[in-house]
Amino acid sequence: MTNNPITQSANKGNGRLLALDILRGITIAGMILVNNPGSWSNAYAPLKHAEWNGLTPTDLVFPFFMFIMGISTYFSLRKYDFRLTGESFYKIFRRTVLIFLIGLALAWFGLFLRGVLSDKTFLDAVANFDHIRILGVFPRLALCYGFGAFFALVIPQNRLAWIITGLLVVYSIILLFGNGYDYSDKNVIAIVDRHVLGEDHMYTSHYNGETFKFDPEGLVSTLPSIAHVLIGFLCGGLIMKTKDNNLRINSLFIVGTILTFSGFLLDFGLPINKKIWSPTFVLTTCGLASSFLGLLIWIIDIRKHNRWCRFFEVFGINPLFLFCLASVLATILSAVKIADKSIKGWCYDALMPICFDNGTFASLIFALMFVMVNWCIGYILYKKKIIIKL
């Protein structure tokens, strides 16, 4: 799904399409950066998610990764001739389950570590499942990959556009008639999650001084996310139709322009919103991702300006592993305390004098340093040509 050999196979006979690895690496580096500020309250505005409606640079990194996942899914299913067989079903099912379980394991690890460091016994900490968040980034990736790949195998590619349209139209109706643009526990997304998952297994949101359960990776909002991956899948088909990179970027720019403008135009009735993964969010971010990929192909694969991209290639080769690693390290830095202050807190405070007591700048420096720590580990794997894949 996200590995270098797939990228290589996408461009047989014409050299590796490096831009795919770089875009994947940019998104992973971006996800690690925005998820790990020195202080959430002091993070720069562009490094925060939009509070509700709207779009910030931070809101682009996750959907960009899902778009690339759709493209990679096209490449990986090509060897099965896009037919549902026992082998292809097993591969999809296995990856879906593994990615989902990784997400649950990461959620459990945070609860376990905090339990061990508190007054809980080791066994109680191990069995601390009462408040584990079931959904999240990895579960969403798993569900969207699984359903997206299954649709791609059972539905002819010339009809996938209708499936995408149907998913987005149905979801739009659900939002319009289910208080979908109301950021509260009265939202249909929160109501479904509350009844299916239970409040103890949902994300806790804060808005306008209120605290309530609202999961930005909820069950209902998985519908447009599947459409998101399928759009990436179809763009993978556009890339594979020719080995001419000039034709590739023309197709990507055309698709990107149509989707982006469609998203912004429909924003007047269906606001762009990441937390509910609104249909306009799908269109706009897929459009921007397609255009950005076209730009990278032009810069890297046509113009051969690729010296700058080694840094991101390291993240692009082992994306899921490095994102997992970053999640584990972030949990440890936040949970382990020294004299009633977390390791992260000590590091952030140590940066303050160096940053002229500018808390916002110190927050950024901490995030950049955290990205570099993960990059160094990834670079070791890169040099040893170790690719960790599912």
Side-chain angles (χ1 to χ4, degrees):
M1 180 177 63
T2 58
N3 301 296
N4 195 38
I6 293 175
T7 304
Q8 292 175 348
S9 69
N11 209 16
K12 285 181 179 178
N14 195 31
R16 179 174 124 210
L17 194 60
L18 182 60
L20 279 169
D21 278 337
I22 302 309
L23 180 55
R24 188 184 297 116
I26 289 173
T27 59
I28 290 297
M31 289 167 74
I32 295 174
L33 177 72
V34 301
N35 285 343
N36 297 280
S39 167
W40 286 102
S41 60
N42 286 331
Y44 283 107
L47 299 180
K48 295 180 180 180
H49 290 292
E51 193 171 16
W52 187 234
N53 293 333
L55 197 65
T56 72
T58 295
D59 293 324
L60 299 178
V61 289
F62 188 23
F64 274 29
F65 185 79
M66 291 185 65
F67 176 83
I68 289 295
M69 184 173 71
I71 294 177
S72 299
T73 300
Y74 185 96
F75 299 155
S76 66
L77 296 181
R78 199 163 153 256
K79 64 182 178 182
Y80 301 110
D81 198 27
F82 304 106
R83 290 185 297 109
L84 184 62
T85 63
E87 184 182 1
S88 62
F89 176 81
Y90 173 75
K91 177 181 179 180
I92 293 169
F93 181 78
R94 174 180 174 275
R95 282 183 170 177
T96 300
V97 171
L98 285 176
I99 296 172
F100 198 97
L101 289 178
I102 288 172
L104 288 180
L106 290 173
W108 168 85
F109 179 69
L111 295 175
F112 164 75
L113 190 58
R114 290 178 175 84
V116 167
L117 296 174
S118 65
D119 56 356
K120 288 182 179 291
T121 65
F122 182 81
L123 290 179
D124 286 340
V126 169
N128 189 10
F129 300 108
D130 293 342
H131 297 280
I132 189 171
R133 184 187 175 197
I134 295 176
L135 299 179
V137 172
F138 275 92
R140 168 148 292 184
L141 289 174
L143 293 174
C144 293
Y145 166 74
F147 282 105
F150 180 76
F151 283 145
L153 292 181
V154 300
I155 298 172
Q157 290 183 30
N158 59 1
R159 296 182 183 177
L160 281 179
W162 290 106
I163 299 298
I164 294 169
T165 302
L167 287 171
L168 295 182
V169 170
V170 168
Y171 187 58
S172 298
I173 295 172
I174 292 174
L175 292 179
L176 291 174
F177 290 94
N179 295 319
Y181 286 97
D182 182 17
Y183 195 12
S184 72
D185 56 4
K186 305 296 190 298
N187 191 310
V188 63
I189 295 174
I191 293 173
V192 171
D193 287 340
R194 194 161 58 243
H195 283 84
V196 176
L197 305 175
E199 287 193 355
D200 289 340
H201 302 291
M202 293 172 60
Y203 183 82
T204 301
S205 294
H206 308 275
Y207 185 64
N208 285 341
E210 296 185 14
T211 299
F212 51 92
K213 296 293 184 177
F214 187 99
D215 206 308
E217 282 82 37
L219 286 172
V220 179
S221 58
T222 300
L223 291 175
S225 303
I226 296 171
H228 199 117
V229 171
L230 289 176
I231 291 174
F233 180 87
L234 291 181
C235 286
L238 290 178
I239 292 173
M240 289 302 301
K241 285 181 179 179
T242 177
K243 294 180 180 179
D244 187 334
N245 281 329
N246 288 292
L247 294 178
R248 284 173 170 169
I249 64 174
N250 285 342
S251 298
L252 289 171
F253 276 130
I254 291 172
V255 170
T257 301
I258 293 172
L259 291 178
T260 303
F261 273 91
S262 298
F264 281 127
L265 287 173
L266 293 174
D267 176 62
F268 292 98
L270 301 168
I272 297 171
N273 186 307
K274 179 189 179 296
K275 286 183 171 64
I276 60 174
W277 216 272
S278 66
T280 47
F281 179 78
V282 173
L283 296 173
T284 303
T285 55
C286 281
L288 292 174
S290 180
S291 298
F292 190 32
L293 178 58
L295 177 63
L296 288 176
I297 293 175
W298 180 77
I299 293 173
I300 298 170
D301 296 287
I302 294 180
R303 303 294 295 177
K304 305 300 181 184
H305 298 312
N306 52 24
R307 284 189 174 185
W308 61 274
C309 58
R310 177 65 59 84
F311 177 86
F312 296 109
E313 188 178 3
V314 169
F315 283 109
I317 295 299
N318 282 299
L320 292 183
F321 170 76
L322 290 176
F323 189 65
C324 281
L325 175 67
S327 299
V328 171
L329 291 178
T331 299
I332 294 172
L333 291 178
S334 298
V336 178
K337 294 185 177 181
I338 303 175
D340 295 328
K341 185 184 294 186
S342 68
I343 297 176
K344 179 179 179 179
W346 281 105
C347 294
Y348 177 65
D349 289 346
L351 287 171
M352 289 287 282
I354 302 173
C355 298
F356 311 103
D357 290 329
N358 185 331
T360 305
F361 187 52
S363 179
L364 174 61
I365 295 302
F366 177 90
L368 291 172
M369 291 173 60
F370 188 80
V371 170
M372 286 305 304
V373 168
N374 288 274
W375 181 86
C376 289
I377 298 172
Y379 184 70
I380 295 172
L381 299 177
Y382 178 84
K383 291 296 290 184
K384 293 181 178 294
K385 298 182 179 180
I386 297 174
I387 299 175
I388 301 174
K389 57 184 178 179
L390 298 179

